[in-house]
Amino acid sequence: MMKLAISKVTGSARRGVITSLGQSGEKTLEVPGCLLYTRTASPPHLTHDTLKSIDGVPPVTHVTLSTLAEHQEVLEEYKEGIRKFSGLPDTLLYCSINDPVSPSPPGYNTNKTVSVWGSGGRLELTPQKFISLQSALKVDWIQSLSDGEVMAEGGSRKRAKKSVDRSLAFLDECLKLMSENEDLKQKVVIGAIEGGDLQEERLRSARETAKRPVSGFLLDGFQGSSVNPEAKLNLISAVTAELPEDKPRIIHGIGRPDEVMDCIERGVDLFDSTFPYEVTERGCALCFTHQYQPDPETAGEPPHPVLDKEELTNGEKTEDPEIDCPKITSYEICLKEKRFREDFRPLLQGCTCYCCRHHSRSYVHHLLTSKELLAGILLMIHNFQHYFSFFRSVREAMSDGKFQDLKEIIGRQAS
């Protein structure tokens, strides 16, 4: 059974390590940290060989039931689970219900079923169907079945209460069924905290879920949420204060560096890595700095690498309909823009990823405008590596007592 050992606490932010992972119990995962995001159990745009070229890849891979449920018959016939089927022999697998990038449409869950949406459409999962799916997948961490619809701010109290009641009932049924299944009785169960934007229901969900034999908690329903950011953070603070300290807390769909820092400050331990994937899909490269230690040779100069607002926007508004301006954050540059045609610098000065060592902004711009598949591969390599190194900096800053310094540096780069 996995164990979380906390080595340092800064406010509510926790620095530690999860141990006793995997069948041998030899793997570890440092927190705060992130999981390796996949689509249909494959890293987006990447082969497993190219994935090996990326530094700092997390030891736990995130797969999603919504993309895998329709392949149950194939996996049952294969008999050896999704890890071997997808060529991920050396990783631990965490299976969530929904893909944070594509949450399920609301209004389809009932007291007896949870609906997920794959490429073939809607699938209804009963607890029994859910357990049979998990038997075929053979993952290590399992998010329990839950009524985890993302609710709009001001949703009805009745609906929030129902989501908690249903999720607790699903959790109890899943725990019972898993205890009777030889393949699943030793698996790690992650209990989902539901309740919409109502603090009373969120706290009830947290307290009741913590009474069950779960090994960790998912703060569910915040991805793509329309809840006011301040209210969202207050909810997260209230929930984490109710949870036991020796079990990890996971959140989905929050990936912007400033939002990650806010959540870590409020006691969240683990995040998905959907943000670098979404940045890649926009044709963008992460270019923010997470350097918190001043370099003696450049004392008094701006931290490097860093882009100011003028360089990020260049004072221009693009008219290219393919550039999704409203979603582009101040932590990235859009390499589809024409100003990068003759920019022969690496994507990010000082970055050691394969793309930055071998290619330029101009070349990636060319690949994007030519719609070459290589553009997504190179951007994904860069964005994953930079994002993973950001979490390493967070952990190092906490160990050095510099968490607030790093939070300020990240916050200054927010638009």
Side-chain angles (χ1 to χ4, degrees):
M1 185 62 68
M2 71 178 189
K3 301 173 185 176
L4 172 60
I6 301 296
S7 57
K8 188 163 187 175
V9 177
T10 305
S12 296
R14 294 134 52 93
R15 171 80 169 94
V17 61
I18 303 172
T19 61
S20 304
L21 297 177
Q23 294 182 347
S24 65
E26 295 177 353
K27 293 184 180 293
T28 62
L29 174 64
E30 292 186 279
V31 299
C34 68
L35 313 171
L36 174 64
Y37 174 68
T38 63
R39 295 178 71 81
T40 323
S42 293
H45 299 288
L46 304 178
T47 66
H48 300 300
D49 286 336
T50 52
L51 182 67
K52 291 175 183 177
S53 73
I54 299 173
D55 293 338
V57 175
V60 179
T61 296
H62 179 190
V63 300
T64 55
L65 203 63
S66 57
T67 61
L68 296 173
E70 59 197 349
H71 304 295
Q72 181 176 357
E73 289 184 12
V74 173
L75 289 167
E76 285 177 340
E77 186 174 342
Y78 182 65
K79 291 186 171 58
E80 297 192 54
I82 193 64
R83 187 189 342 262
K84 188 172 180 181
F85 185 81
S86 59
L88 294 166
D90 301 323
T91 187
L92 277 81
L93 298 179
Y94 158 62
C95 183
S96 67
I97 305 297
N98 291 304
D99 186 335
V101 173
S102 311
S104 295
Y108 290 91
N109 294 344
T110 70
N111 291 338
K112 294 183 178 179
T113 65
V114 170
S115 290
V116 297
W117 300 75
S119 59
R122 177 181 167 216
L123 291 169
E124 290 185 292
L125 301 179
T126 62
Q128 291 76 14
K129 173 73 171 175
F130 174 77
I131 292 301
S132 70
L133 256 171
Q134 296 296 348
S135 293
L137 291 173
K138 303 186 188 306
V139 300
D140 303 282
W141 297 5
I142 299 171
Q143 178 205 332
S144 178
L145 199 63
S146 66
D147 181 15
E149 291 179 353
V150 177
M151 299 178 202
E153 187 174 15
S156 74
R157 182 174 296 275
K158 180 179 179 182
R159 180 66 185 93
K161 182 178 185 302
K162 188 179 289 185
S163 76
V164 176
D165 291 339
R166 284 175 177 171
S167 298
L168 290 171
F170 286 141
L171 175 58
D172 288 338
E173 180 68 12
C174 288
L175 288 170
K176 177 177 178 295
L177 292 171
M178 289 177 69
S179 70
E180 299 166 355
N181 186 308
E182 287 299 322
D183 294 333
L184 300 178
K185 60 169 52 178
Q186 299 301 322
K187 299 295 184 183
V188 167
V189 178
I190 306 296
I193 310 299
E194 308 292 353
D197 67 340
L198 294 180
Q199 183 167 315
E200 176 186 341
E201 290 303 322
R202 284 279 179 182
L203 295 182
R204 180 168 73 91
S205 179
R207 291 169 187 146
E208 289 300 319
T209 304
K211 293 177 183 177
R212 273 73 170 175
V214 297
S215 299
F217 304 93
L218 169 67
L219 280 64
D220 199 19
F222 288 105
Q223 63 271 25
S225 173
S226 60
V227 176
N228 173 279
E230 185 177 349
K232 182 191 295 187
L233 292 176
N234 289 338
L235 271 177
I236 291 170
S237 292
V239 168
T240 56
E242 292 292 326
L243 298 176
E245 295 182 358
D246 61 344
K247 295 179 181 180
R249 300 92 175 252
I250 305 170
I251 198 164
H252 288 167
I254 292 182
R256 258 179 54 151
D258 55 333
E259 295 177 347
V260 166
M261 297 298 285
D262 285 336
C263 289
I264 290 173
E265 191 175 39
R266 287 159 177 80
V268 178
D269 301 312
L270 290 171
F271 301 78
D272 57 53
S273 54
T274 55
F275 182 67
Y277 166 70
E278 292 174 308
V279 171
T280 297
E281 293 301 283
R282 292 193 281 269
C284 295
L286 290 174
C287 285
F288 67 97
T289 182
H290 47 77
Q291 180 180 320
Y292 67 92
Q293 293 279 26
D295 185 341
E297 295 183 5
T298 59
E301 297 180 12
H304 181 75
V306 64
L307 297 173
D308 58 28
K309 298 279 194 338
E310 185 178 351
E311 185 176 358
L312 285 165
T313 63
N314 204 31
E316 302 173 1
K317 292 213 173 176
T318 178
E319 297 179 359
D320 189 335
E322 292 191 13
I323 298 178
D324 195 359
C325 284
K327 292 186 177 179
I328 295 175
T329 70
S330 58
Y331 297 100
E332 61 201 88
I333 54 173
C334 183
L335 292 167
K336 292 179 180 178
E337 294 180 20
K338 293 178 181 178
R339 62 195 175 97
F340 293 111
R341 274 184 302 191
E342 297 182 6
D343 189 337
F344 301 108
R345 292 174 293 173
L347 274 58
L348 181 62
Q349 195 68 39
C351 178
T352 60
C353 80
Y354 175 87
C355 181
C356 289
R357 284 187 288 112
H358 293 90
H359 301 294
S360 66
R361 297 174 178 185
S362 175
Y363 180 60
V364 176
H365 168 80
H366 157 70
L367 294 174
L368 287 165
T369 55
S370 303
K371 302 190 184 302
E372 292 283 352
L373 295 177
L374 183 56
I377 296 170
L378 293 178
L379 283 172
M380 197 74 260
I381 288 171
H382 169 77
N383 289 332
F384 261 159
Q385 179 156 323
H386 191 61
Y387 199 64
F388 300 154
S389 67
F390 160 59
F391 277 94
R392 183 171 62 248
S393 289
V394 173
R395 294 190 294 270
E396 291 172 354
M398 291 185 69
S399 296
D400 294 342
K402 300 282 188 179
F403 178 77
Q404 287 303 325
D405 292 352
L406 178 56
K407 186 173 186 293
E408 184 180 335
I409 289 167
I410 296 296
R412 283 202 303 263
Q413 298 170 77
S415 56

